[in-house]
Amino acid sequence: MNEEEKIFAGVLFSPNDPELAAQKTRTHNLNMDYNRTYEDETKKRKELITEIVGEIGEGSFLQGPVTFHYGKHTKIGKRVFVNFNLTVQDDAPVTIGDDCNLGPNVTIVTPVHPMLAAERRAMADKNGEKNSCAMQNRLS
């Protein structure tokens, strides 16, 4: 089972997996591109948000700025309005249904980090070596 399959199975996964890391980097860069657009650049925004999220329905509008972690794990329904400062840490599937309105500063957080120190210590780095802090891998 690869790391993304583990996400959808709801089991502990390594966020340092090269494929997941590449997806995060791509999405974080696209977030920045989206956030640099003007509100009336609707065509450009539509193209960018379609690149960011897994699915977005007709008539949906995201005010921005937005921050998605993986992006493609998020599905947004039809006629959704999202006010300023949406953050979606979609380390698991996220679905925002049709006709939803989200106020400003909404954060949707799905990850559950390992609660036991032994589990955290067992996380492997990009070379498959065990270490005490998975975040160290992102810095190396």
Side-chain angles (χ1 to χ4, degrees), residues 100-115:
C100 289
N101 289 330
L102 302 182
N105 302 313
V106 168
T107 299
I108 300 170
V109 182
T110 64
V112 176
H113 297 284
M115 302 299 271

Side-chain angles (χ1 to χ4, degrees), residues 18-87:
E19 289 179 28
L20 290 179
Q23 176 63 35
K24 281 187 284 192
T25 299
R26 178 184 175 279
T27 300
H28 292 182
N29 291 342
L30 287 167
N31 290 332
M32 296 296 291
D33 292 343
Y34 186 90
N35 295 335
R36 282 192 290 263
T37 63
Y38 291 101
E39 190 169 325
D40 61 355
E41 294 181 286
T42 53
K43 183 179 179 197
K44 187 174 183 180
R45 280 183 162 205
K46 176 78 171 175
E47 290 168 1
L48 287 166
I49 201 66
T50 300
E51 290 270 330
I52 294 170
V53 299
E55 187 177 305
I56 185 161
E58 186 103 14
S60 292
F61 177 78
L62 286 73
Q63 182 71 49
V66 299
T67 305
F68 291 89
H69 198 53
Y70 290 103
K72 72 178 192 171
H73 301 155
T74 299
K75 295 180 181 178
I76 300 172
K78 299 174 188 169
R79 301 171 303 278
V80 171
F81 173 78
V82 176
N83 212 315
F84 297 103
N85 298 317
L86 172 69
T87 298

